Amino acid sequence: MRKALIAGNWKMFKTEEEAVLFTEELARRVADVQDREILICPPSLYIYPVVHALVDSSVMVGVQNIFWEDQGAFTGEISAPMARSTGARFAVIGHSERRQYFAETDDTVNKRLMACLKASLTPIVCVGESLEEREAGRTLDVVGSQLGKGLKGVSAKDAPHLVIAYEPVWAIGTGKTATPQLAQEVHAFIRSVLKGIFGEKPALAIRILYGGSVKPDNIDDLMAQADIDGALVGGASLDAASFERIIRYKG
Ligand code: PEP
């Protein structure tokens, strides 16, 4: 049985004070939640104060990106061991905004993913098609290729430590959510690709999150789908009440 994971991606929002106040409020609101995992990914600058604000909480912390080398002359970057040493447990890898604005490719996704596994940081590997690719009927080709290249070299032994996020680019921050059926179709396809790469058992242990305009009013139907094991939430994770409602999805 895969434990659901509800992850908040704050992107480049909040000051340090806002980050800490929000975290304390969220921890209070979800203190009784035990049957699902909760993760917040603030800007890396705030990992330490946010981890500190969560000492008595089961809410976990992740980073939004890491560089693939452990250390070196890479101005402005942070590495997987550095993120791990601050208390981060997860790293978002290959988010479409990184692919779009920072030249992230499947090859660099793969390097970052390997660095995460080496540092015991759980990678959340984002895949998803653009509107143009969907309209051209290329969704499964695009997602299959992103998975094939992005997961290259990962062993079946490491597979259960992976998290995949299906995030159709046209649904991110647009208010246009994939219908639960459409999301499930791609999630089932992702599961079949994972089975092809890792074999049946490891593939069944991998959590596949849906991301793209997840809100309190659509989370229940999304989470009712067989291969949707959680959500990667952007905008709606910035408000404690709406993120709490998403965490408390019914089902
Ligand atoms: C995201 O940032 O990964 C995301 C899905 O954003 P939003 O929920 O705002 O669409």
Side-chain angles (χ1 to χ4, degrees):
M1 182 59 188
R2 298 178 292 268
K3 197 167 188 180
L5 171 65
I6 305 293
N9 170 20
W10 292 6
K11 312 193 189 200
M12 199 174 72
F13 287 101
K14 297 190 188 294
T15 63
E16 183 188 1
E17 188 185 3
E18 288 164 350
V20 170
L21 287 174
F22 174 94
T23 303
E24 288 169 351
E25 181 182 348
L26 181 70
R28 271 195 306 276
R29 283 175 175 265
V30 300
D32 61 313
V33 176
Q34 284 171 1
D35 59 343
R36 46 203 75 173
E37 292 185 358
I38 305 165
L39 171 71
I40 51 177
C41 300
S44 310
L45 205 53
Y46 311 145
I47 297 300
Y48 181 74
V50 165
V51 166
H52 192 68
L54 290 171
V55 275
D56 296 320
S57 167
S58 60
V59 176
M60 300 177 291
V61 180
V63 290
Q64 299 173 17
N65 185 32
I66 50 104
F67 189 59
W68 54 82
E69 296 290 348
D70 286 354
Q71 58 180 5
F74 302 104
T75 303
E77 295 296 318
I78 60 161
S79 72
M82 286 174 182
R84 191 71 187 87
S85 74
T86 62
R89 309 259 301 270
F90 290 74
V92 178
I93 302 290
H95 190 281
S96 67
E97 286 152 16
R98 302 244 21 121
R99 293 178 190 257
Q100 187 180 350
Y101 303 123
F102 303 99
E104 186 88 67
T105 63
D106 294 325
D107 180 47
T108 59
V109 165
N110 183 253
K111 289 179 171 175
R112 292 179 213 273
L113 160 61
M114 291 306 200
C116 282
L117 292 174
K118 197 172 110 198
S120 301
L121 205 54
T122 302
I124 302 179
V125 182
C126 302
V127 296
E129 80 288 1
S130 65
L131 184 59
E132 202 185 6
E133 289 162 340
R134 170 157 287 274
E135 285 175 349
R138 296 186 48 231
T139 298
L140 303 188
D141 283 350
V142 169
V143 170
S145 163
Q146 288 172 335
L147 288 170
K149 293 178 186 159
L151 305 185
K152 202 169 134 220
V154 178
S155 67
K157 178 175 70 62
D158 278 332
H161 302 298
L162 295 176
V163 176
I164 308 293
Y166 169 55
E167 298 212 306
V169 180
W170 48 269
I172 298 179
T174 58
K176 287 185 206 153
T177 325
T179 62
Q181 293 69 26
L182 192 149
Q184 167 57 26
E185 210 176 284
V186 183
H187 280 234
F189 170 73
I190 292 174
R191 185 86 59 207
S192 72
V193 172
L194 297 174
K195 284 181 186 170
I197 300 176
F198 300 117
E200 177 94 8
K201 201 164 165 228
L204 287 174
I206 300 175
R207 289 179 289 188
I208 309 174
L209 315 184
Y210 170 78
S213 297
V214 171
K215 303 276 182 261
D217 63 3
N218 57 31
I219 186 67
D220 299 345
D221 291 340
L222 286 162
M223 289 304 293
Q225 305 301 311
D227 289 290
I228 299 186
D229 306 311
L232 181 54
V233 188
S237 75
L238 294 168
D239 176 80
S242 84
F243 195 44
E244 178 189 1
R245 173 60 184 88
I246 290 169
I247 290 164
R248 293 187 190 279
Y249 70 83
K250 299 183 173 59

